[in-house]
Amino acid sequence: MDFVIRGAEIADGTGAPRYRADVAVREGRIAAVGEGLEGAQKIDAGGLVLAPGFIDMHAHSELAVLADHDHLAKLGQGVTLEVLGQDGLSYAPVNDATAPQMREAIAAWNGRSDVEADWRTVGEYLDRLDRGIPVNAAYLVPHGTVRMLAMGWDDQPPTAAELVAMKAQVAQGMEEGAFGLSAGLSYTPGMYADTAELVELCRVVARYGGYFGPHQRSYGAGAMEGYAEMIEISREAGCALHLAHATLNYDVNAGRAAELLKLIDEALDEGVPVSLDTYPYLPGMTMLAALLPSWSLAGGYGALRERLKDPGTRARIVHELDVTGTDGANGVPADWAKYEIAGVANPELRRYVGMPVAEAAGEQRPAEFFLDLLVRDDFGTGCLMHVGNEENVRAIMRHGVHTGSSDGVLAGDKIHPRAWGSFARYLGHYTRELGLFSVEECVAHLSGRPAAVLGLKDRGLVKEGFAADLVLFDPATVDARSTFAEPRQQAAGIPYVFVNGALAITDGRRTGVLTGRSVRRPRR
């Protein structure tokens, strides 16, 4: 045996009660679970819980896993697998024309990394991951990226030929190992898609046994209608549905979690396969440009620059932001005191980081300042949105189809602490301090259950023959140290993490191994 972990309390990922045993690891796999096991290296796990490595069902680490070989944001809190390609916008599939457009479109999420993007297809991106990364990674085909490839940034339905081209790209991505289709329906160009378009693409995904993972159209006004549309797409297409960062935000949705869970339960009772993920924080985070009305972004950022030069068009945008509420801002009139500038691409604008837009605007009307800032920052500005509701967060995370995620944006001056803290916060704050879960239940939400959503047959459990993605944590001290003031802080109480049988974290320190690889959906 390469390693023997002795005397751990095993939370095996099923939710079953813990039990004490030794676990042996050999050649990247769990070779034995029992007593008195021997191995070349021994880890005394007395007082620690051994769990399957955690699975981040919603991550934005496509470039980070290639550029940051430590990747302590995720490894430090026990994450051994991240699901990438989220919110309908990512870096494959692209061509020579759309690759630089995509880099600019999501610079507020992923930064302007100098990673050489030597891929164009989903398969080529996954091949790049297989050269060695800190954690394992799965991928979803991003709908907005596919739409851009087929028909650009236009606000119109696809022609028959364009729809055929999109379906072919989705099929190719699934063939090459993607687990499903993501969508960003409050981001351009994905927000221009109607229900029928999404149904057609999800039918392709269903043929491969994948799932649809949408960022739906609204998490504010119209949130329930948005969730109902996603369930109807799943029902009509015969495709599994996984609701990304499922939440209900803004005052209009305070205390409405029971309505959402009723909608989900009714779909489950009908046989519609629905699951969801959440991060355990109240504020959200995205690109500041996402607040704009969809019509203003038709044709891309270049077209928007020209529109903003017209006083009438600019006044229309300001009116929608402040009075009626844009579709990009979830249909809620902007409260500029709740939108905090979290990161900028232009160093000359760093003085605004950490300020609400209302404060940064000074004497200028906040909506006007917002538009000026976007142009000055080349649309690379990130924002924190202080719009969550604790009652809703707690109710949703306890549902039987819930899985854990971070929605972690790693680029920017003032990132959201969820990137470095979500999984430790589930175990510390919500399990130990508030008692919303038992340790075993929480571990299942973070490992076995997401593995089942992905259809993985050899990950997510502490079980002989399974991949040795493992985490040892102290249930008495595990917690997020990441804060809004200091977000890049490694989680506490997680001394050991294995990725594919190799120690990636030992005594809380990064070892430097790069044993993570792409995890691909098996072909049917």
Side-chain angles (χ1 to χ4, degrees):
M1 303 299 178
D2 300 326
F3 294 93
V4 169
I5 303 165
R6 287 188 162 169
E9 290 285 330
I10 298 176
D12 66 4
T14 67
R18 281 177 279 174
Y19 63 95
R20 186 181 296 274
D22 300 340
V23 172
V25 173
R26 181 173 58 204
E27 297 179 354
R29 297 271 161 181
I30 298 172
V33 180
E35 297 182 0
L37 303 179
E38 295 293 335
Q41 297 187 56
K42 303 176 183 65
I43 295 174
D44 180 3
L48 301 178
V49 172
L50 178 66
F54 304 139
I55 298 175
D56 189 341
M57 287 295 287
H58 192 103
H60 291 281
S61 303
E62 291 95 328
L63 301 183
V65 292
L66 296 170
D68 178 8
H69 287 176
D70 282 342
H71 205 44
L72 280 171
K74 299 302 177 67
L75 277 176
Q77 54 181 317
V79 171
T80 59
L81 171 60
E82 298 184 81
V83 185
L84 309 176
Q86 300 288 351
D87 294 328
L89 295 167
S90 191
Y91 301 98
V94 292
N95 59 25
D96 290 348
T98 64
Q101 293 177 43
M102 185 50 57
R103 283 230 171 187
E104 288 306 302
I106 52 177
W109 290 347
N110 294 48
R112 290 185 170 91
S113 171
D114 59 0
V115 169
E116 182 184 1
D118 56 350
W119 63 82
R120 290 295 179 262
T121 68
V122 170
E124 289 169 352
Y125 174 69
L126 297 178
D127 288 343
R128 175 67 181 276
L129 301 183
D130 284 339
R131 298 181 199 172
I133 52 177
V135 298
N136 300 305
Y139 195 77
L140 301 175
V141 180
H143 164 254
T145 304
V146 166
R147 200 177 206 270
M148 188 190 307
L149 191 59
M151 55 184 293
W153 294 80
D154 294 337
D155 181 3
Q156 62 187 32
T159 65
E162 288 166 344
L163 184 58
V164 167
M166 283 194 281
K167 291 169 73 172
Q169 287 291 344
V170 173
Q172 180 178 338
M174 296 299 294
E175 286 279 350
E176 292 170 345
F179 282 77
L181 177 74
S182 77
L185 302 178
S186 65
Y187 302 123
T188 56
M191 61 166 52
Y192 303 140
D194 62 15
T195 303
E197 175 183 322
L198 296 167
V199 168
E200 285 301 304
L201 297 179
C202 284
R203 284 182 173 139
V204 176
V205 174
R207 291 204 304 267
Y208 291 90
Y211 70 85
F212 179 41
H215 169 122
Q216 57 120 339
R217 297 190 193 277
S218 174
Y219 295 90
M224 292 301 175
E225 292 82 357
Y227 283 121
E229 181 195 9
M230 298 305 102
I231 290 171
E232 182 55 33
I233 289 168
S234 174
R235 182 186 290 114
E236 190 170 342
C239 182
L241 174 66
H242 182 81
L243 297 168
H245 41 56
T247 189
L248 292 162
N249 291 331
Y250 304 91
D251 293 343
V252 68
N253 287 317
R256 297 185 69 191
E259 296 176 49
L260 171 59
L261 300 181
K262 182 174 184 290
L263 196 66
I264 291 170
D265 287 338
E266 288 172 350
L268 290 167
D269 289 343
E270 294 174 31
V272 180
V274 184
S275 56
L276 59 88
D277 65 70
T278 70
Y279 52 84
Y281 292 87
L282 298 188
M285 187 174 190
T286 190
M287 59 189 83
L288 193 61
L291 305 179
L292 291 163
S294 59
W295 62 264
S296 71
L297 285 159
Y301 289 145
L304 173 63
R305 282 182 183 276
E306 293 304 310
R307 290 189 183 102
L308 291 176
K309 295 176 183 178
D310 176 66
T313 302
R314 189 181 180 99
R316 179 185 169 191
I317 294 172
V318 168
H319 178 80
E320 290 193 24
L321 286 164
D322 284 347
V323 180
T324 63
T326 69
D327 48 3
N330 297 286
V332 177
D335 181 345
W336 296 109
K338 292 183 177 180
Y339 294 116
E340 179 184 350
I341 299 165
V344 293
N346 182 348
E348 295 179 2
L349 302 172
R350 282 194 177 135
R351 65 186 180 277
Y352 297 125
V353 172
M355 291 185 184
V357 172
E359 177 185 345
E363 298 300 315
Q364 189 178 10
R365 182 171 179 172
E368 292 282 1
F369 170 83
F370 158 79
L371 294 176
D372 290 342
L373 177 64
L374 290 179
V375 173
R376 292 168 65 193
D377 202 29
D378 201 20
F379 305 98
T381 317
C383 76
L384 285 162
M385 305 178 295
H386 297 273
V387 295
N389 178 275
E390 181 69 17
E391 181 183 347
N392 289 342
V393 167
R394 293 189 192 187
I396 293 168
M397 72 169 58
R398 298 192 69 190
H399 193 273
V401 298
H402 169 267
T403 65
S405 70
S406 72
D407 196 8
V409 172
L410 297 169
D413 299 286
K414 186 180 180 183
I415 64 172
H416 197 304
R418 68 193 183 190
W420 287 69
S422 288
F423 294 82
R425 182 170 168 83
Y426 268 119
L427 289 165
H429 181 62
Y430 284 100
T431 297
R432 182 182 62 251
E433 294 176 5
L434 298 184
L436 293 188
F437 307 101
S438 67
V439 169
E440 296 89 339
E441 288 170 335
C442 187
V443 166
H445 283 245
L446 307 182
S447 58
R449 191 175 297 165
V453 171
L454 292 165
L456 300 177
K457 304 299 183 184
D458 66 345
R459 294 179 194 270
L461 301 177
V462 178
K463 186 176 179 180
E464 289 183 11
F466 274 49
D469 292 342
L470 299 166
V471 55
L472 278 161
F473 66 89
D474 183 344
T477 63
V478 62
D479 212 348
R481 291 192 294 199
S482 176
T483 66
F484 285 97
E486 296 185 70
R488 291 179 171 91
Q489 301 295 315
Q490 185 176 341
I494 302 179
Y496 297 97
V497 180
F498 287 81
V499 177
N500 291 322
L503 266 172
I505 299 284
T506 182
D507 293 326
R509 298 187 300 274
R510 181 75 171 95
T511 65
V513 300
L514 296 174
T515 51
R517 297 293 185 269
S518 72
V519 176
R520 309 189 191 209
R521 189 170 192 89
R523 292 184 181 181
R524 283 193 159 189

